[in-house]
Amino acid sequence: MLGSSSFDRSVTLGARAMLSLLVLQFLLGMFANLFVTFPTTTESANPIAQIFISGSAILIAHVLTAALLFGLSTSLLVLAAFTPGRRLVAVASLGFVFIGIAFSSGMLFVVTGYSNDALSYEMAVGFILAFLTYGAIAGRRAGEARGVPTSQTRGRPVGIAITEAIAGAILLFGGLQLVGLGRLYDVLAWHGPLFIILGVATLLAAVALWKNSNRAGHLALVVNAAGAVSSVASETILVGTVSQELNVVGSVGGTVIAIGILSAAIYYLAVPENRAFLRHH
């Protein structure tokens, strides 16, 4: 696999970053649980947005760190797919699942009024299992993949094409959902068509990469960057607008996964060896 050692190192370093963020998240969560009063007013359409209106800085940092952890776990899973061997992919998949459990439980804990102890317990379980999983990845021996060539000839960048297709499908599906929400909330009226266009463009980039078309890498970089930026902007507006709380939870989760995949794809396309390969094929 092209540049496999680069991805192997990146996943290991990313796992170490995950451990640091998990420690930070634990400290923020414990502080919020012991010393912070959760916002209960209804100045906004939903409790998630209310955190950013009247919540403490610690609670806001806790929520943002959770989103960062979820996005990074998605990116690491995608990057692990470009490393040799299946074990790393399996462990990264477990880490993604455990972070997903903690993230979704936390979101539901907020929208149910901070009163569901079972969801709080699920957060704790997801956290400790994720910490152990990423600890196993971070503790891998440096150069574990030694002996694996850093560059192998291949006919087409299959992995990144599949990654692009997944990201495009998420953007397209999200756009179709936003079309429905746009009928209820005027401020979201333009979001659905925008994400449908971005989803189609990303799928076209996937096809271009699959066929090794000229400038396929440049096209993918542009649409990935546009998709990531638009996702952040759109989700910020949606969280402060939509009142159906479960819709918000699902939307935030999907957006974070999409941003994680797009970010991993951007990293892939930024690796010099991969850029050179795409330029000459």
Side-chain angles (χ1 to χ4, degrees):
M1 180 175 294
L2 195 65
S4 60
S5 64
S6 172
F7 293 112
D8 186 83
R9 290 192 300 271
S10 297
V11 172
T12 302
L13 291 173
R16 292 172 184 171
M18 287 290 292
L19 289 177
S20 298
L21 285 171
L22 283 167
V23 170
L24 173 63
Q25 186 70 333
F26 172 79
L27 295 174
L28 291 170
M30 288 303 296
F31 189 96
N33 189 48
L34 294 172
F35 305 113
V36 170
T37 300
F38 297 123
T40 56
T41 56
T42 56
E43 300 170 38
S44 182
N46 62 74
I48 297 173
Q50 192 61 46
I51 291 174
F52 296 92
I53 295 175
S54 60
S56 72
I58 293 294
L59 187 57
I60 292 173
H62 186 63
V63 172
L64 293 177
T65 303
L68 181 59
L69 281 165
F70 194 22
L72 183 56
S73 71
T74 306
S75 296
L76 289 180
L77 176 57
V78 174
L79 293 177
F82 293 101
T83 61
R86 298 179 180 178
R87 182 178 177 183
L88 183 58
V89 178
V91 178
S93 298
L94 282 176
F96 172 76
V97 170
F98 296 144
I99 289 291
I101 290 172
F103 181 82
S104 58
S105 298
M107 295 285 286
L108 291 172
F109 181 70
V110 172
V111 302
T112 54
Y114 309 95
S115 59
N116 191 320
D117 291 337
L119 291 172
S120 182
Y121 180 74
E122 286 178 18
M123 268 193 289
V125 171
F127 164 83
I128 193 63
L129 292 177
F131 191 87
L132 293 173
T133 302
Y134 288 109
I137 297 175
R140 295 163 71 236
R141 289 180 293 111
E144 189 177 72
R146 192 174 297 152
V148 178
T150 59
S151 179
Q152 297 176 7
T153 302
R154 61 183 181 179
R156 62 182 67 178
V158 176
I160 189 61
I162 293 173
T163 299
E164 287 292 297
I166 294 171
I170 292 174
L171 291 172
L172 184 59
F173 180 72
L176 292 173
Q177 286 191 313
L178 284 168
V179 167
L181 288 175
R183 295 171 181 170
L184 300 174
Y185 305 94
D186 291 339
V187 71
L188 296 174
W190 56 272
H191 292 227
L194 171 64
F195 277 89
I196 290 174
I197 292 171
L198 287 172
V200 171
T202 306
L203 290 174
L204 291 175
V207 173
L209 287 165
W210 182 271
K211 293 183 176 181
N212 270 337
S213 301
N214 291 332
R215 303 189 183 283
H218 295 295
L219 172 61
L221 271 174
V222 170
V223 296
N224 286 351
V229 171
S230 298
S231 295
V232 172
S234 180
E235 197 62 42
T236 301
I237 296 172
L238 184 144
V239 166
T241 303
V242 176
S243 58
Q244 295 101 325
E245 295 162 355
L246 291 181
N247 282 349
V248 173
V249 171
S251 178
V252 171
T255 297
V256 175
I257 290 176
I259 292 173
I261 293 176
L262 291 169
S263 299
I266 290 171
Y267 173 84
Y268 176 97
L269 295 165
V271 171
E273 298 153 279
N274 296 340
R275 276 208 317 272
F277 179 86
L278 291 170
R279 268 201 309 271
H280 295 97
H281 288 75

